[in-house]
Amino acid sequence: MNFWIKASAEREKMQFAELSIKEGILKAIEEMGFEKTTEIQEKSIPKLIENDIDFVGQAQTGTGKTAAFAIPLIQKIKSTQKGIQAIILAPTRELANQIAGEIEKISKYDPLRTFCVYGGVPVYNQVKTLHKTKPHILVGTPGRVLDLINRDAINLDKAKYFCLDEADEMLDMGFFDDVNEILDTVTNEDRKIWMFSATMPKAILNLVNKHFNEPEVVKVTKKILTADSVDQKFIMVEERQMAEALSRYLDYHQNIYAIVFTRTKIGAKKLADDLSFRGYETDALHGDMVQDQRDIT
């Protein structure tokens, strides 16, 4: 997943250097090869850096929402202060890992510590590493973060920033009770909640009304369905011909890396086995796999 997707060519893009971003973060961003913002980044970053506010950002997936909160968050965290200062909640283990990795890249020149927690692996090992790491920023899935709170494994007394990324996905996956419970446990009256979501169903609006304090709202409406760097094509075939058609396509495009989405977990495994039998280096990734298998894949 690319958190820095090119914005629509219809909009004049701003340079990151034009925003109120401190030098170390700017240097890290430039070394990552990025100079211009997406629309959600342009509208969110200055507000979050310059103000101490609750915030709601609505934009479609693939518009750079994660960097929109990661940059100001890193700028606001005090590396000299001990304890967890920010918690970022994400709907999946893979996204949580990606966010943590992106934060580590952006904070390359800041002495910040980030740690990622998620289910599917023994909680004892994570608690042990958590105490050793002593992170300033904790990224995790709602279930595992709540588990750690209930075990008194993390202390949220100094946690000021709570970021909900892909909030509608967390709702769809049944994590919203956990999210509400996590926010209910926070005693810091000065806490700030930042939420980014592609859609705003009623349950999310209820959460905003319950936990947020007069949030600043930024909404970005995409004028195109994909980034301007994406070229879309489709081929219609019968389901029984799918593996053969895909194989011919892969044969024609020799040097290719691909992600193939299937309708079911069984379908993913079956297609991976079929492609492997045909000589393509392929592996499956689905929800029935344990975390170690997912990491290996």
Side-chain angles (χ1 to χ4, degrees), residues 15-26 29 37 45 49 71 75:
Q15 300 275 344
F16 281 104
E18 296 178 63
L19 306 180
S20 308
I21 302 173
K22 66 182 184 180
E23 186 176 343
I25 297 176
L26 268 179
I29 293 172
T37 65
I45 291 173
I49 287 179
I71 291 172
Q75 184 144 327

Side-chain angles (χ1 to χ4, degrees), residues 91-140:
T92 66
R93 292 167 274 187
E94 284 74 23
L95 180 56
N97 267 321
Q98 288 177 337
I99 293 171
E102 207 73 8
I103 289 175
E104 289 178 356
K105 293 176 185 176
I106 300 171
S107 62
K108 178 179 178 180
Y109 296 102
D110 291 88
L112 298 182
R113 295 183 297 275
T114 304
F115 188 64
C116 186
V117 296
Y118 44 81
V121 296
V123 67
Y124 171 78
N125 293 339
Q126 287 188 344
V127 171
K128 186 177 179 180
T129 308
L130 182 63
H131 290 164
K132 183 179 178 180
T133 304
K134 295 181 172 59
H136 299 100
I137 301 173
L138 183 68
V139 185

Side-chain angles (χ1 to χ4, degrees), residues 197-213:
S197 183
T199 60
M200 292 289 165
K202 184 177 179 180
I204 291 181
L205 295 176
N206 291 340
L207 179 138
V208 171
N209 292 331
K210 178 181 179 182
H211 293 288
F212 286 60
N213 180 28

Side-chain angles (χ1 to χ4, degrees), residues 238-290:
E238 294 183 13
E239 185 173 357
R240 60 186 176 83
Q241 298 173 328
M242 194 71 71
E244 179 65 28
L246 180 58
S247 298
R248 295 189 184 189
Y249 186 88
L250 294 173
D251 286 340
Y252 183 79
H253 299 276
Q254 291 292 316
N255 297 315
I256 188 172
Y257 288 93
I259 299 176
V260 180
F261 293 94
T262 62
R263 188 169 54 86
T264 65
K265 291 174 280 190
I266 294 175
K269 179 67 168 61
K270 184 177 182 301
L271 180 59
D273 289 344
D274 194 350
L275 291 175
S276 295
F277 179 76
R278 293 168 181 255
Y280 303 101
E281 191 172 342
T282 311
D283 210 342
L285 183 67
H286 53 77
D288 283 348
M289 298 166 63
V290 299

Side-chain angles (χ1 to χ4, degrees), residues 41 44 46-47 54 82 96 132 168 184 189 216 244 259 266 278 297:
Q41 292 164 1
S44 302
K47 292 180 183 293
D54 285 359
K82 296 182 179 179
K132 183 179 178 180
D168 49 352
D184 284 335
E189 295 181 358
E216 181 86 19
E244 179 65 28
I259 299 176
I266 294 175
R278 293 168 181 255
T297 300

